[in-house]
Amino acid sequence: MDFTFSSSALPTSGTLVATAKADAVLSKSAQVFDKLTNGAVAKAVEAEGFTGKKGEVLEILAPAGMDAHRLVLVGVGKVEELLLTDIENMGGALYKRLSPKHPEAVAVTLDGLAVAGQSADVATAHLAAGMILRSYRFDTYKTKKDDDRKPSIGSVALHVSDIKEAEAAFLRLQAVAEGVFLTRQLVSEPPNKLYPETFADEARKLEELGVKVTVLGEKKLKELGMGALLAVGMGSERESKVAIMEWQGAKDRKEAPVALVGKGVTFDTGGISLKPAAGMEDMKFDMGGAGVVFGAMKALAGRKAKANVVGICGLVENMPAGNAQRPSDIVTSYSGKTVEVLNTDAEGRLVLADILSYVQEKHKPRAIVDLATLTGAMIIALGHDYAGIFSNSDELSEGLTQAGKTVDEKVWRLPLDDCYDSLLNSEAADMKNIGGRPAGSITAAQFLQRFIENDTPWVHIDIAGTAWAGKESATAAKGATGYGVRLLDQLVADRYES
Ligand code: BES
Ligand code: MN
Ligand code: ZN
């Protein structure tokens, strides 16, 4: 699917797409189609009961009086209520509707429809981005080459007034979509293919975008004293890794970076505190936090963000084995703090603890965002539409909430408080790794906060419910969502770019 922006008149062949507002008020181009077809558009609107509400689609095939194969009307609803994310969703709906029919050439016009204070040219770029986002499929391991049946669109011509403006907006959105695709790919990969070593290899591929990549193996991690992270990987045949990705885009190369920190448990059996068999297969997505950090680094480097950003991910596999850690083991973290491991299934926090400490010591970040599929309790609390956030900074938390609204990746803040923190006190060590069933997502966040020094602004995002979707959305098939990439990209754009 390739996209071209043009300011000349809409073509008259292929598939032509125009809009209609609420109460089926036809746009300028839709009116032209209606004239050329001798009223076929108005007739189809009537016959179908098309109202023009947001996301509604009407298709007219082989219209008499025109060369086109197909005319498509897309409802935009009430214009004053429209958001750019609605336009992206429209693009997604359009892709879903048209791609199974393999149109060679699709031409789209928004007819100058400005959206939420942005020009129609920018809105049109968002429509294209929505089409791209919806086009992702994970088919790496399908051997039957049923290419004929694979949904596809040849080329998409977008009608705009200022080609430069539209293209600039599009290039940026396209880079972000590529980041989203990387995350979806990584999260979809099965754990026999994606394990710490192969995951780290994926980081190295970002070097071609100008990202500096460092991978630490077990020998180095032992030397450094990452006892909490290493304990999680002890029962695995796979070597644990830490991947560090640095993007230097700020004018001042010495400016303190933003740190993005990801949980990369490539498979979580629970360890000796073994999970039940039913549903265990879901734990291939327990590397989702790291997947988002990889995707965000790709997006930021791809669009040459003017910010310094360091991504760090702990890549481990949590297996039960003769040499696995045991419930009641006491481990010493990189910070020197000791942890009594009372449940080996609360492993993500052990991995994050060490890389949080490490990134603070080595990179002195101005802010830290960590992402993790950390607790099942998160799904109980917020389901699959909002991710929970936990923060020591009202400002950062507010910034993230705003960014979430902008890109429609929603977050909701939950409290941190000493009364929750004290649930982690241990008889035998500095802390234990579980706080009991109540407020399970909060006590997990409190655990992480124990490794944040000097009140560095920090936010933890628990993406247990949002990394994977059991049903499709406007801009994603079911499966790995890529949730978080656009959120982080927007946060960086809003707050940290020079
Ligand atoms: N990776 C899981 C959390 C999870 C569960 C994410 C389901 C997505 C879907 C995490 O490592 C875990 O096992 N957490 C435990 C914590 C408990 C032992 C304190 C949980 O949520 O049950
Ligand atoms: Mn677990
Ligand atoms: Zn886990």
Side-chain angles (χ1 to χ4, degrees):
M1 186 165 52
D2 46 71
F3 293 88
T4 52
F5 293 87
S6 130
S7 55
S8 45
L10 210 60
T12 52
S13 59
T15 293
L16 308 181
V17 182
T19 62
K21 297 177 198 166
D23 301 321
V25 175
L26 301 185
S27 63
K28 210 175 70 204
S29 299
Q31 289 176 31
V32 171
F33 299 160
D34 191 52
K35 265 219 187 80
L36 291 172
T37 58
N38 215 348
V41 174
K43 238 184 244 164
V45 163
E46 176 79 36
E48 188 70 12
F50 177 85
T51 64
K53 72 164 187 283
K54 206 161 69 188
E56 205 179 350
V57 180
L58 174 69
E59 234 180 286
I60 305 162
L61 290 175
M66 282 184 81
D67 215 13
H69 285 115
R70 183 189 285 111
L71 300 179
V72 182
L73 275 190
V74 181
V76 298
K78 296 192 178 119
V79 175
E80 61 286 358
E81 290 171 7
L82 265 183
L83 302 172
L84 285 171
T85 50
D86 292 321
I87 300 291
E88 286 170 8
N89 291 344
M90 265 172 52
L94 206 53
Y95 181 85
K96 192 192 169 195
R97 178 80 173 231
L98 296 178
S99 60
K101 299 162 183 175
H102 307 104
E104 273 296 310
V106 176
V108 185
T109 176
L110 288 181
D111 282 312
L113 180 79
V115 174
Q118 300 282 336
S119 72
D121 297 339
V122 170
T124 305
H126 280 265
L127 186 132
M131 294 183 77
I132 295 177
L133 285 170
R134 189 64 181 77
S135 71
Y136 178 79
R137 296 169 23 118
F138 178 68
D139 54 10
T140 313
Y141 301 100
K142 294 262 194 197
T143 59
K144 259 228 245 71
K145 295 291 173 217
D146 49 357
D147 279 352
D148 295 352
R149 305 223 321 257
K150 203 165 152 175
S152 69
I153 294 179
S155 67
V156 182
L158 299 143
H159 185 262
V160 293
S161 60
D162 182 339
I163 297 176
K164 280 233 166 64
E165 191 192 9
E167 272 175 353
F170 176 71
L171 283 177
R172 184 185 171 123
L173 292 165
Q174 194 180 33
V176 176
E178 269 162 30
V180 173
F181 280 19
L182 174 61
T183 303
R184 288 181 186 168
Q185 177 76 24
L186 292 169
V187 172
S188 304
E189 286 286 349
N192 61 329
K193 302 289 182 187
L194 191 85
Y195 46 90
E197 197 180 335
T198 52
F199 203 161
D201 292 342
E202 293 293 326
R204 293 205 180 87
K205 292 187 188 159
L206 299 177
E207 282 173 343
E208 66 186 50
L209 292 174
V211 176
K212 182 181 161 203
V213 177
T214 314
V215 176
L216 311 178
E218 279 187 7
K219 186 159 163 273
K220 182 73 187 170
L221 298 173
K222 259 183 214 133
E223 248 171 64
L224 287 167
M226 293 210 192
L229 182 146
L230 285 168
V232 175
M234 248 169 32
S236 171
E237 295 286 326
R238 313 287 195 186
E239 185 183 340
S240 300
K241 304 277 184 186
V242 168
I244 302 157
M245 296 157 278
E246 293 168 77
W247 169 251
Q248 299 259 316
K251 272 199 206 95
D252 176 4
R253 290 178 62 84
K254 293 232 172 66
E255 188 177 272
V258 178
L260 308 178
V261 180
K263 168 181 173 181
V265 176
T266 58
F267 195 73
D268 180 14
T269 63
I272 296 298
S273 311
L274 193 63
K275 286 182 182 296
M280 196 197 275
E281 66 277 11
D282 286 351
M283 288 301 105
K284 78 164 181 176
F285 72 64
D286 209 22
M287 36 54 68
V292 173
V293 172
F294 276 55
M297 295 307 296
K298 180 163 190 177
L300 293 166
R303 72 170 180 79
K304 299 196 167 32
K306 292 188 175 57
N308 294 340
V309 183
V310 55
I312 182 167
C313 296
L315 312 175
V316 303
E317 184 183 53
N318 189 20
M319 298 292 275
N323 53 350
Q325 68 171 335
R326 295 146 290 251
S328 79
D329 276 4
I330 295 178
V331 299
T332 302
S333 67
Y334 181 77
S335 70
K337 293 177 180 131
T338 56
V339 181
E340 185 183 16
V341 179
L342 289 180
N343 189 323
T344 64
D345 198 11
E347 84 297 341
R349 62 198 75 180
L350 297 173
V351 173
L352 289 171
D354 279 352
I355 56 177
L356 282 168
S357 300
Y358 181 82
V359 82
Q360 288 170 88
E361 188 186 297
K362 278 277 179 297
H363 297 272
K364 310 258 181 301
R366 61 199 287 201
I368 306 170
V369 184
D370 81 69
L371 299 101
T373 49
L374 202 61
T375 63
M378 195 70 256
I379 306 174
I380 305 302
L382 296 179
H384 299 285
D385 291 300
Y386 276 76
I389 61 171
F390 308 79
S391 182
N392 59 3
S393 158
D394 292 346
E395 212 193 322
L396 177 55
S397 158
E398 189 46 43
L400 195 66
T401 303
Q402 274 312 321
K405 287 181 180 164
T406 304
V407 300
D408 197 24
E409 291 189 339
K410 295 186 279 246
V411 302
W412 196 261
R413 188 180 187 185
L414 281 88
L416 292 169
D417 196 305
D418 289 345
C419 61
Y420 297 116
D421 180 76
S422 62
L423 299 173
L424 296 168
N425 292 338
S426 156
E427 303 277 318
D430 295 338
M431 68 194 88
K432 50 190 184 181
N433 76 330
I434 49 170
R437 268 176 69 79
S441 304
I442 300 175
T443 53
Q446 294 288 169
F447 184 94
L448 301 180
Q449 192 176 20
R450 288 189 178 215
F451 297 87
I452 302 297
E453 311 283 346
N454 307 321
D455 291 320
T456 303
W458 156 77
V459 61
H460 157 59
I461 314 180
D462 193 333
I463 58 170
T466 54
W468 190 270
K471 58 181 186 353
E472 65 175 338
S473 74
T475 50
K478 65 180 178 186
T481 59
Y483 173 100
V485 173
R486 294 194 290 158
L487 179 65
L488 294 180
D489 174 69
Q490 191 65 42
L491 181 78
V492 169
D494 289 348
R495 288 178 64 89
Y496 303 113
E497 282 196 65
S498 44

